[in-house]
């Protein structure tokens, strides 16, 4: 029986894999990808499947699931070296992201706490520079170790060479080329989280933006906010059968943000606006859609499988929303998840 990708994606969508390999060691991981490349067979690297939309027809090549494990610090004894630069923590790509965040909070490693509750693997986080509630991994990544499928060798990129931007990186810009093997984070140590950079989180914690709160409290507050929006996976709740936010927030030349829409000025003079606002004001409210695929009833930006959807249903909904926003505001939304074997 072929492995069905719907069993490996949080949208629970996607047809069969031509071949499916689960790689538990770094050597197996590199070998699986190298073998496919040598035979000129396409290979898809799969983490937690939480940012993937896979075609109903499936993926004809080899799907390589990253199942490597291991968290190592730069000090004997495992709790890291206390230094003004913080602790260096190197994490295997297949580790579950939220387990790492929980570990960081428990050990007093600062800088990941606002990223609590994001599904998926550690190795995928540099791909789109995962971010939420005022933090993004670019702020704490020291380096990313990869297998370069073009040069056929292991390389290490310092953070400054990763091309991190809003939901982007050199890895996302050059799709499929780099297999992330491990990520090294540089994390200050302490009991208080990093300064809170997001107004809604600051309000929930009862602090001002820019102030700090205890690590564990930040984690709990973020998990609470995310649960209320259907942004923490829950098998019983169809609002979480998604790939998270389906569209990125558009970054526009100043002056092109519609009147009344949120406007967050960027360092380069452009302005970021809210995709959720645009979608709602184009007439697509929470819960919009058919019985198969619909917007989450808790969060306009999440496109969800209500239980019996096919990928075609989800894509039809995505096109309806994207085209409706473009017709109303002249702004074309861009999908955040990676589309495999399908297009919008
Ligand atoms: C409920 C929900 C909430 C979410 N909230 C957020 C959020 O707040 N912020 C945010 O940024 N994202 C969010 N996401 C999106 C998603 O969780 C992240 O993008 C996550 O990092 C994807 O990890 P993954 O392991 O599931 O990657 P996958 O979906 O398996 O893969 C995504 C892409 O990364 C590639 N990839 C995966 N692992 C590797 C590797 N080791 N080396 C090279 N390439 C790799 C894949 O080939 C694919 O192109 C959310 C998703 C869901 C379902």
């Amino acid at each position: 029986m072929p492995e069905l990708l719907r069993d490996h994606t949080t949208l629970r969508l996607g047809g069969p894999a031509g071949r499916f390999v689960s790689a538990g060691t770094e050597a197996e991981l590199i070998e699986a990808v190298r073998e496919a490349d040598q035979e000129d067979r396409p290979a898809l690297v799969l983490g937690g499947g939480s940012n993937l939309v896979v075609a109903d027809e499936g993926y004809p090549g080899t799907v390589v699931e990253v199942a490597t494990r291991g968290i190592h610090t730069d000090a004997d004894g495992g709790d890291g070296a206390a230094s003004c630069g913080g602790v260096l923590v190197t994490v295997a790509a297949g580790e579950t992201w939220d387990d790492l965040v929980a570990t960081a909070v428990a050990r007093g490693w600062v800088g990941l706490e606002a990223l609590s509750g994001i599904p998926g693997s550690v190795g995928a986080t540099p791909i789109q520079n995962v971010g939420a509630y005022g933090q993004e991994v670019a702020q704490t990544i020291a380096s990313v170790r990869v297998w370069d499928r073009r040069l056929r060798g292991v390389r290490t990129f310092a953070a400054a060479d990763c091309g991190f931007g809003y939901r982007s990186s050199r890895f996302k810009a050059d799709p499929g080329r780099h297999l992330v093997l491990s990520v090294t984070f540089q994390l200050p140590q302490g009991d208080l989280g990093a300064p809170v950079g997001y107004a809604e989180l600051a309000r929930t914690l009862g602090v001002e933006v820019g102030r700090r709160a205890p690590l564990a409290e930040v984690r709990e507050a973020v998990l609470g906010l995310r649960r209320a929006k259907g942004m923490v996976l829950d098998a019983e709740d169809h609002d979480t059968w998604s790939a998270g936010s389906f569209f990125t927030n558009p970054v526009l030349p100043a002056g092109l943000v519609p009147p009344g829409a949120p406007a967050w000025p960027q360092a380069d003079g452009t302005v970021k606006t809210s995709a959720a606002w645009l979608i709602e004001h184009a007439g697509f409210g929470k819960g919009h859609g058919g019985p198969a695929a619909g917007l989450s009833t808790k969060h306009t930006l999440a496109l969800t499988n209500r239980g019996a959807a096919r990928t075609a249903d989800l894509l039809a909904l995505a096109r309806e929303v994207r085209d409706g926003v473009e017709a109303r505001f002249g702004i074309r939304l861009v999908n955040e998840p990676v589309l495999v074997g399908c297009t919008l």
Side-chain angles (χ1 to χ4, degrees):
M1 278 288 281
E3 197 75 25
L4 297 176
L5 287 164
R6 72 171 66 103
D7 296 332
H8 297 273
T9 58
T10 53
L11 272 163
R12 291 166 170 79
L13 296 176
R19 208 171 149 230
F20 191 92
V21 180
S22 186
T25 68
E26 202 171 285
E28 285 170 11
L29 190 54
I30 293 174
E31 192 42 41
V33 170
R34 188 161 52 181
E35 194 183 295
D37 289 347
Q38 267 166 1
E39 291 170 9
D40 229 4
R41 259 185 295 123
L44 171 70
V45 177
L46 174 73
S50 63
N51 214 23
L52 282 178
V53 180
V54 182
D56 291 314
E57 293 71 28
Y59 184 75
T62 304
V63 174
V64 181
E65 184 184 50
V66 184
T68 51
R69 292 287 182 270
I71 300 180
H72 302 284
T73 65
D74 59 349
D76 295 333
D79 275 338
S83 75
C84 43
V87 61
L88 282 177
V89 185
T90 297
V91 189
E95 283 283 346
T96 299
W97 171 257
D98 195 50
D99 290 352
L100 173 65
V101 178
T103 301
V105 168
R107 293 198 182 180
W109 301 339
V110 177
L112 307 182
E113 59 284 350
L115 302 174
S116 293
I118 297 178
S121 61
V122 169
T125 59
I127 306 288
Q128 69 154 2
N129 181 19
V130 157
Y133 294 97
Q135 276 177 7
E136 53 184 23
V137 289
Q139 294 164 336
T140 45
I141 285 180
S143 61
V144 180
R145 218 170 114 261
V146 304
W147 171 259
D148 184 330
R149 292 169 66 183
R150 193 173 309 156
L151 299 182
R152 303 198 173 183
V154 173
R155 302 172 70 187
T156 299
F157 293 103
D161 298 324
C162 290
F164 287 130
Y166 166 62
R167 290 305 90 79
S168 67
S169 71
R170 74 178 300 155
F171 313 115
K172 185 150 188 180
D174 198 353
R177 172 168 174 180
H178 300 98
L179 164 64
V180 176
L181 301 172
S182 63
V183 184
T184 299
F185 297 87
Q186 183 161 21
L187 304 169
Q189 291 180 290
D191 299 328
L192 297 180
V196 176
Y198 199 82
E200 185 187 25
L201 178 58
R203 269 197 307 279
T204 307
L205 287 162
V207 299
E208 282 168 32
V209 171
R211 305 307 290 259
R212 298 166 186 266
L215 280 173
E217 285 180 27
V218 178
R219 176 167 168 80
E220 284 316 308
V222 168
L223 288 173
L225 288 169
R226 294 185 68 96
R227 280 195 193 100
K229 295 176 190 171
M231 282 295 185
V232 176
L233 293 184
D234 175 354
E236 304 299 311
D237 182 358
H238 287 299
D239 281 336
T240 76
W241 291 29
S242 77
S245 300
F246 197 89
F247 297 105
T248 53
N249 287 325
V251 180
L252 304 168
L256 288 193
V257 175
W264 300 293
Q266 304 296 294
D268 63 359
T270 58
V271 180
K272 192 195 283 181
T273 189
S274 160
W277 188 96
L278 295 172
I279 292 170
E280 273 162 24
H281 286 79
F284 307 105
K286 293 185 180 80
H288 172 88
L295 300 185
S296 160
T297 67
K298 304 185 186 77
H299 190 32
T300 327
L301 255 189
L303 272 61
T304 62
N305 174 358
R306 308 314 296 177
R310 293 168 52 80
T311 306
D313 301 316
L314 190 94
L315 292 172
L317 175 68
R319 284 183 202 114
E320 184 196 4
V321 170
R322 181 199 59 189
D323 296 348
V325 167
E326 191 167 21
R328 172 78 179 76
F329 295 109
I331 297 169
R332 195 167 174 86
L333 294 178
V334 175
N335 53 291
E336 183 184 302
V338 176
L339 307 182
V340 176
C342 50
T343 49
L344 261 195

